[in-house]
């Protein structure tokens, strides 16, 4: 009964680790989206069911070995909105001991090992969380795909489509993005994107996938594509700056980290983010995240169960994370 199923549920992917009290990652699994604000409840249930089953199978365990589930979910706000609905879904799936938090909280806990500071999350969507030593919190962004998500994969995908359209029309500079989008969507002409995007109904996660295509173009020194990722770095740095200001850190050193596929896969964004932030706040110490977000869910799950956390356990977690994820 010592296993915690630690879940990171996002708009495109859900990841789960089966971790014991000593910090050993015994099993891992991945599935589809689990943001209940963006996809139907049936998809959320299926993604959560699949990811837990896969992690248990990988660990050679059954549900009898699960002590609790700890999940950080993109559709849950850091103040708790959405928690009740998701708790009900887990109970329907047969799990009674459940800790539900936002994906932002577990990302912060994982990146800074539960220490104070600012963490910027940029996956399908984006948001930023700052935490002071006294526990005070401030959230920046997280307004969703219609009027937020600056610097996110979904916003990058949108900008790639816009740049490709401008190039196609002759309204903007030429970019290889036009041909890359056509190829990645399996189309014969850019005009067909109208049908694919509007009639077929591309979701936020589908648009977000175009960010990978755009980055491949950016790596070929396409200036238009590079500009999109530099702008993303600017936007994400802006959210970190706002968090630092609202935390009123003054001249004190503040730790800043990041999480999410945009930071993981796009060095252009990471470098620009760091450059801009340090220009404004020279005392900001920008560090790579120590753990992926799912480990943050484990840390919060440990706390909920009253398990003490020490350096030895953190080192064990780090070792197992490297072994399982490379």
């Amino acid at each position: 009964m010592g296993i915690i199923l630690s879940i990171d549920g996002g708009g495109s992917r859900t990841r789960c680790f089966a971790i014991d009290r000593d910090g050993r990652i015994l099993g891992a699994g991945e599935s589809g989206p689990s943001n209940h604000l963006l996809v139907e409840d049936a998809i959320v249930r299926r993604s959560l069911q699949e990811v837990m089953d896969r992690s248990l199978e990988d660990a050679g365990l059954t549900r009898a070995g699960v002590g609790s589930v700890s999940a950080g979910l993109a559709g849950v706000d850091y103040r708790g909105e959405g928690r009740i609905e998701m708790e009900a879904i887990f109970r329907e799936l047969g799990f009674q001991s459940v800790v539900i938090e936002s994906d932002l909280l577990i990302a912060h806990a994982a990146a800074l090992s539960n220490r104070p500071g600012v963490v910027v999350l940029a996956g399908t969507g984006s948001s930023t969380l700052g935490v002071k030593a006294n526990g005070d919190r401030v959230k920046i962004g997280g307004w969703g795909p219609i009027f937020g998500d600056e610097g996110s994969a979904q916003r990058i995908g949108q900008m790639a489509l816009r740049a490709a359209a401008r190039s196609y029309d002759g309204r903007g500079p030429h970019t290889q993005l036009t041909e890359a989008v056509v190829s990645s969507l399996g189309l014969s002409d850019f005009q067909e994107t109208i049908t694919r995007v509007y009639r077929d109904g591309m979701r936020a996660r589908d648009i977000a996938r175009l960010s990978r295509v755009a980055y491949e173009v950016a790596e070929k020194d396409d200036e238009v594509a590079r500009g999109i990722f530099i702008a993303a770095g600017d936007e994400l740095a802006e959210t970190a700056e706002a968090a630092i200001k609202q935390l009123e850190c003054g001249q004190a050193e503040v730790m800043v980290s990041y999480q999410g596929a945009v930071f993981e896969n796009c060095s252009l964004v990471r470098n620009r983010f760091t450059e801009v932030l340090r220009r404004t706040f020279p005392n900001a110490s920008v560090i790579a995240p120590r753990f992926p977000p799912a480990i943050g869910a484990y840390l919060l799950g440990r706390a909920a169960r009253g398990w003490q956390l020490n350096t030895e356990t953190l080192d064990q977690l780090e070792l197992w994370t490297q072994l399982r994820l490379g």
Side-chain angles (χ1 to χ4, degrees), residues 291-311:
F291 299 111
I295 300 297
Y298 171 74
L299 297 177
L300 298 180
R302 282 185 68 96
R305 301 193 70 180
W307 294 352
Q308 295 297 312
L309 183 64
N310 54 38
T311 301

Side-chain angles (χ1 to χ4, degrees), residues 5-9 14-16 48 52 69-73 90 106 297:
L5 290 181
S6 307
I7 298 173
D8 170 27
T14 302
R15 172 178 283 179
C16 178
L48 293 173
M52 291 187 288
V69 174
S70 181
L73 304 171
F90 277 102
I106 66 167

Side-chain angles (χ1 to χ4, degrees), residues 12-291:
S12 298
R13 179 185 69 175
T14 302
R15 172 178 283 179
C16 178
F17 293 143
I19 312 177
D20 69 10
R21 186 166 185 164
D22 294 326
R24 296 181 301 169
I25 300 176
L26 305 181
E30 287 191 11
S31 65
S34 56
N35 185 339
H36 71 282
L37 300 180
L38 298 179
V39 297
E40 296 84 355
D41 284 353
I43 295 176
V44 173
R45 287 182 173 83
R46 182 169 65 248
S47 294
L48 293 173
Q49 181 73 72
E50 287 178 353
V51 82
M52 291 187 288
D53 287 346
R54 288 170 182 170
S55 63
L56 287 172
E57 181 180 2
D58 186 44
L61 299 170
T62 66
R63 290 191 177 196
V66 178
S68 62
V69 174
S70 181
L73 304 171
V76 177
D77 187 74
Y78 82 115
R79 293 170 299 185
E81 288 91 339
R83 180 180 293 152
I84 293 176
E85 299 97 300
M86 295 310 301
E87 286 177 346
I89 288 178
F90 277 102
R91 292 196 175 97
E92 289 173 11
L93 294 175
F95 297 92
Q96 301 305 310
S97 179
V98 182
V99 175
I100 303 293
E101 294 290 357
S102 75
D103 62 335
L104 189 53
L105 276 174
I106 66 167
H108 192 286
L112 297 179
S113 304
N114 274 337
R115 294 173 294 176
V118 174
V119 172
V120 182
L121 175 61
T124 301
S126 68
S127 55
T128 296
L129 182 67
V131 179
K132 294 182 74 170
N134 65 3
D136 288 349
R137 300 171 179 171
V138 58
K139 177 189 174 186
I140 306 296
W143 300 110
I146 295 178
F147 61 107
D149 286 347
E150 293 84 357
S152 69
Q154 190 263 349
R155 176 62 66 87
I156 291 170
Q158 278 186 335
M159 298 303 294
L161 283 170
R162 290 174 181 171
R166 287 174 55 81
S167 176
Y168 184 85
D169 286 343
R171 295 179 291 125
H174 174 75
T175 172
Q176 299 173 57
L177 286 167
T178 307
E179 294 79 7
V181 167
V182 169
S183 176
S184 69
L185 295 179
L187 308 176
S188 59
D189 187 87
F190 190 77
Q191 283 282 358
E192 297 173 17
T193 56
I194 295 176
T195 299
R196 179 62 59 85
V197 172
Y198 297 113
R199 193 188 71 182
D200 296 346
M202 287 182 69
R203 299 178 184 274
R205 66 179 184 274
D206 301 318
I207 301 294
R209 292 191 186 104
L210 292 176
S211 65
R212 298 180 183 178
V213 176
Y215 198 65
E216 291 174 1
V217 175
E219 288 187 312
K220 297 175 182 177
D221 290 328
D222 184 288
E223 288 303 315
V224 174
R226 286 179 60 84
I228 290 172
F229 288 93
I230 289 172
D234 290 342
E235 291 177 330
L236 293 168
E238 184 179 64
T239 68
E241 292 168 0
I244 293 172
K245 290 176 183 177
Q246 291 195 35
L247 290 175
E248 299 178 342
C249 296
Q251 297 302 310
E253 181 182 14
V254 56
M255 287 194 298
V256 179
S257 191
Y258 48 81
Q259 295 275 23
V262 172
F263 281 110
E264 291 171 14
N265 302 323
C266 309
S267 60
L268 270 175
V269 174
R270 289 196 308 272
N271 295 340
R272 181 68 174 188
F273 171 82
T274 302
E275 174 192 342
V276 172
L277 186 60
R278 284 179 173 163
R279 189 187 306 154
T280 307
F281 289 99
N283 292 327
S285 179
V286 182
I287 61 174
R290 184 171 186 183
F291 299 111

